Amino acid sequence: MEEQKLSFVGKSFERKDGLIKAEGRAMYAADREFARMLYAAAVRNPRPRIKILGISDEKAKKVPGYVTLVTYKDIKGQNAWPVLDLDYPFLPEKIARFAGETVALVVAETQRAAKKAASLVEIEYEELPNIQDPLEALKPDAPEIGGTTDMKNVYAHFTIQKGDVDKAFEEAAYKVEGTFKTNYQVHGYLETQGSIAIPETDGGVTIHSTTQCPYYVVDGVAAALGITYNKVKVIQTVTGGGFGGKEEVPALVAAHAAICAAKVGRPVKLIYSRKEDFQCMSKRHPGWAHIEYSADKEGHLTGCRVKYVLDAGAYSTITAIVLFRGTVHSTGPYKIPNIDVKTFGAATSKVPCGAFRGFGQPQINFAQESLIDELAEKIGMDPIEFRLKNLLNPGELTATGQKLTSSCGLSELVEAVRKKSGWDKKVNLHEKKGHIAKGIGISTCYYGVGLGAKGRFLDRAGAMVNIYKDGSVGVSVGNAEMGQGALTVFAQIASETLNAPMDLVKTEEVDSSRVPDSGPTVASRGTLMGGNAIIQAASPLRERLFKVALDMLIDKGGTSGKMIAHDGVFEMDGITVSFTDVAKEGWNRRLKMCEEGWYVAPHVSFRLDNGQGDAYVVYSYSADIAEVSVDTQTGVTKVDKIWAAYDVGRIVNPMLATGQAQGGILQGMSWSLFENLQYKNGIMVNPNFTDYVCATTKDKPEYDITFIEKLYDEGPYQAKGMGEVPLIGVAPAVANAIKNACGVRIDSVPLLPEKVWRAIKQKNATKEAK
Amino acid sequence: MPCNETMKKDFSVLHLDCTVNGKHIRRDVPSNRALLDFIRLDLGLTGTKEGCGEGECGACLVLLNGRAVNSCLMTVSHIQGKELVTIEGIRGRKGGLHPLQETFMKEGAIQCGFCTPGIIIASEALLRRKPDATLEDIKLELTGNLCRCTGYEKVLSAVETARDKMAADPDYKEAE
């Protein structure tokens, strides 16, 4: 048998779910209706941190269609949402810790009645001390408001210790330090959170949920109802965007719907308004970082010190793993022999933060890549030359002492964007037309694919591949489509393994009862884990079918014994049989035509005492160059163009991959420049798209995307993961470009016009004073 | 949710008479009934989405006498005597898919799909009004549609391709 060339992987197939979405027929959570369904709405904490004295539905009862109030007393299971820790109650009993927290729920006959009634429920409360600033929370005299570790108000802390940092700094020829801050980011998925819970006759429940982690929903609902997992079935609805925002919190929303449904014995639908979604669903953690780098006189990095604090909010949720990722990547993609990193996830009395594309990395990448440029400037080196001298290459050691494999194309990525952008000409140009200053800036990043050492127990995934009697193929997976194109990529992988035509392969949203717990669809792990599970399932089927095909071809007169399988056809000596014919023959021979697959990620490690180990199975890489125009009179920055290069292993579907890249870049640019969630006295000020500004078509830069495929042998058809790298490096590239344009270093995201304007004014004043 | 449940005494009943996706509709509705609820809940046309409820995101856009409007900001009284088209009513001139739908699929302009109906409605309104819309026109028209997945690049190019396809197709040329 000759080697099979790739027929399906590497090609730009149209989305499997394109048609239903283009026609408006895709059924998202809010679109689903069930007989006798009721509607729930949340009653929310109006103040930052309160002691609950009483909850009254006297006024709410008068709303026509009112059914009941649901409080913690209605919870039959445990009143603690099982995430990493158990500090977040499904519904608070005595203390609510942030404004917007769900304190109770109201069930009514219509959604409008439920919302109206919820607004009339009265909470009697006493205000408690609260903390807004994470650095305040870490002070010894701060009031205790949360925390799940040995340290007060701390949900997680990590360290990386390597070499002798003090000595490195003593002996350094060059030293830089800086403090950097980044603000929240709101996911802004267009579909808000929502769940429907349908009570089943056996005491179980079926959940229809918008989610990227259906199995987290199983965990949450089973705990809240106090029932076994085999009575909880979670069906993922078509999911209108996730970006991490539908990782952990859909479990909370679904549990609330399930608690209501269990009380009233009827299906209950709970759909969030945009305002509620802003107020109480997860966010990107605001970050604070103080970093120092040292270098020798040739410009080799010798040391790095990092103190990194994430503002985690009122409950721990998954802060520990977000912080872990931030910690591992905190010194940047460089070889640095001496490292001292200390990181903390601090409690505050604000919305609990969680997963968001980049997952603890964008905040620290902004800080360290900004400072790397400052160091290059101090040494008098070109930012790219300086990076190339220090970047990690295959065979070299990361901050945690992990030796990189051959699937590492970082230096090539930098060279690619350098060439395409015309960097060498532009970098010293500092072109100025009137009051518009142009500039160019670079950033690099590496990203550990998958859950890594902190989440290793969840890093496995399942799949089921079922070939029907007519030759059509059903692929069930445990990893979720949320817009990124998973269903299409999974179908391509199944098609490739089976040599089945794409139009015969159907993949669908996750049903938790069909495929075992496959962990979350996060951390750029969907293709890697789900894809490998599909290959595991499809491989024995492939073996069987290929044997059948060989027999059939010989029966039809083939003599050479050399079979080529491609594009859904099997061929020998010019004779062909189709996949459908082969599948039908397989059924005639009573072969087993359905298989399950189970993929377990390779071993990873991390020593908590010194932060050393193989933290992630493999890394993806990016290099971004941003070109900006800064209006020096107003401080307004326009990003004109982004050149981005990625090494994410094999590209399974170039069209979808480019879409992921462009979307990630814009989401990163939007965070860099515009998105600015504000709290005042513990209350969120702008929980809406009017005052929380996201990039629109007019803000979009020009994109230039390059993929350099450094194949990863452990990946499905040598793919790694690509969901997150496009976002991470954008903010520092833009900040570095602003510096290049007008000589000012902005040390906090968003890079607002007023910050740039003030910095320019200050710079000019200093110049004049001299 | 049947609409009579929201009929309140302080709002009058509207004897609604309009066209929805080419079908004539006559029924009694509370005059304050939110248009988006009427479309999604009363008519069961769930292709029109609620993304923000405040007219900021464009997911709820529908065509009212050929103009794109945010249905979340309107009541049923606004459609009295008018012609309403939702995403379910968007078809090619000879039936089948509309060129916008085709190019959105082909060029990867769809990801999560939640914003897609609104963007197709906005684009259709623009191309009806201005069949030779430039890229700048398209960008301007679509500033009212938030999309968090695509970075807009493929959306804009898909609208341009559809525009060119429609310009080359006599069915669309003579239609207006």
Side-chain angles (χ1 to χ4, degrees), chain A residues 14-15 18-19 21-24 26-28 30-31 110-112 185-188 190-192 239-241 243 274 482-483 655 658-660 662-663 666-667 670 675 688-690 694-698 700 703, chain B residues 1 5 33-34 37 40-41 46-47 49-52 54 56-57 59 87-88 91 97 101 105-108 110-117 120 136 139-140 142-143 146-154 156:
Chain A
E14 274 180 35
R15 295 186 70 89
L19 180 63
K21 287 176 173 176
E23 292 190 325
M27 296 294 276
Y28 300 82
D31 303 332
T110 69
Q111 185 151 326
R112 284 193 186 265
Q185 187 173 20
V186 179
H187 303 83
L190 262 283
E191 181 206 23
T192 57
T239 295
F243 318 113
R274 181 59 62 181
M482 53 191 132
M655 180 169 76
T658 311
Q660 278 286 290
Q662 292 165 343
L666 194 74
Q667 204 166 36
S670 188
E675 299 183 28
N688 54 66
F689 285 143
T690 311
C694 298
T696 71
T697 45
K698 286 294 260 184
K700 177 198 83 70
Y703 308 100
Chain B
M1 169 164 73
E5 282 181 20
R33 180 77 168 152
D37 285 357
R40 286 180 54 84
L41 305 176
T46 56
K49 304 299 180 195
E50 178 168 341
C52 71
E54 296 183 329
E56 283 291 340
C57 75
I87 187 67
E88 289 87 350
R91 306 304 286 172
L97 288 174
Q101 292 168 320
M105 288 161 58
K106 192 166 278 171
E107 297 188 9
I110 301 170
Q111 289 192 25
C112 87
F114 203 80
C115 71
T116 306
I120 286 177
E136 278 310 304
K139 269 191 190 173
L140 190 64
L142 296 185
T143 49
L146 278 184
C147 164
R148 207 54 166 161
C149 296
T150 63
Y152 302 113
E153 180 76 11
K154 291 178 190 296
L156 295 171

Side-chain angles (χ1 to χ4, degrees), chain A residues 178-504:
Chain A
T179 303
F180 298 86
K181 282 167 79 172
T182 56
N183 200 1
Y184 287 99
Q185 187 173 20
V186 179
H187 303 83
Y189 33 66
L190 262 283
E191 181 206 23
T192 57
Q193 306 273 351
S195 257
I196 301 163
I198 305 165
E200 301 295 346
T201 45
D202 65 351
V205 65
T206 299
I207 303 284
H208 295 256
S209 168
T210 176
T211 175
Q212 54 190 95
C213 303
Y215 304 95
Y216 286 8
V217 176
V218 175
D219 292 338
V221 169
L225 299 189
I227 58 177
T228 50
Y229 277 46
N230 58 2
K231 288 186 175 172
V232 181
K233 176 160 146 173
V234 175
I235 295 167
Q236 184 211 358
T237 52
V238 175
T239 295
F243 318 113
K246 289 173 184 166
E247 175 170 355
E248 70 279 11
V249 283
L252 189 62
V253 179
H256 286 160
I259 294 162
C260 292
K263 180 170 184 183
V264 297
R266 288 167 63 177
V268 170
K269 187 189 221 177
L270 173 59
I271 304 291
Y272 274 28
S273 71
R274 181 59 62 181
K275 184 181 174 186
E276 317 182 80
D277 203 294
F278 263 81
Q279 286 174 329
C280 76
M281 294 287 93
S282 75
K283 304 283 170 284
R284 184 186 306 291
H285 295 73
W288 177 95
H290 184 81
I291 310 192
E292 298 167 69
Y293 280 115
S294 66
D296 65 17
K297 59 181 191 303
E298 284 88 34
H300 297 106
L301 284 167
T302 56
C304 181
R305 284 196 191 105
V306 177
K307 188 181 175 193
Y308 179 33
V309 178
L310 288 178
D311 178 351
Y315 296 103
S316 63
T317 66
I318 58 169
T319 286
I321 13 178
V322 176
L323 185 71
F324 173 77
R325 178 175 285 286
T327 306
V328 166
H329 298 86
S330 64
T331 57
Y334 305 106
K335 38 194 180 232
I336 309 176
N338 305 292
I339 287 173
D340 171 15
V341 175
K342 292 186 180 78
T343 64
F344 305 88
T348 54
S349 308
K350 294 181 291 184
V351 64
C353 293
F356 194 141
R357 198 177 202 172
F359 212 79
Q361 279 192 238
Q363 300 95 321
I364 194 71
N365 187 252
F366 166 71
Q368 58 81 201
E369 282 298 277
S370 296
L371 194 62
I372 283 287
D373 256 36
E374 291 298 305
L375 180 54
E377 188 183 324
K378 200 164 186 179
I379 301 173
M381 283 180 78
D382 176 275
I384 286 188
E385 286 301 334
F386 179 72
R387 281 181 174 79
L388 287 172
K389 193 166 224 169
N390 289 285
L391 282 176
L392 289 165
N393 288 306
E396 290 173 344
L397 299 180
T398 67
T400 68
Q402 181 169 1
K403 193 172 177 182
L404 293 178
T405 62
S406 61
S407 179
C408 164
L410 189 49
S411 297
E412 278 176 62
L413 302 181
V414 171
E415 291 291 10
V417 289
R418 174 190 206 164
K419 199 167 160 212
K420 286 188 120 178
S421 66
W423 170 275
D424 291 351
K425 265 190 197 160
K426 287 177 180 169
V427 69
N428 294 313
L429 217 53
H430 308 293
E431 190 188 339
K432 210 172 168 190
K433 278 187 191 145
H435 46 89
I436 305 294
K438 292 204 81 147
I440 193 163
I442 183 159
S443 75
T444 52
C445 105
Y446 69 144
Y447 178 94
V449 179
L451 299 175
K454 188 72 185 154
R456 63 183 181 277
F457 299 110
L458 294 176
D459 232 354
R460 66 291 187 263
M464 186 172 71
V465 177
N466 189 4
I467 303 172
Y468 291 87
K469 282 193 296 189
D470 63 351
S472 63
V473 181
V475 178
S476 305
V477 287
N479 295 107
E481 168 72 60
M482 53 191 132
Q484 83 280 40
L487 295 182
T488 312
V489 162
F490 289 154
Q492 285 176 260
I493 290 171
S495 281
E496 193 65 68
T497 313
L498 297 171
N499 191 34
M502 270 289 276
D503 55 7
L504 285 181

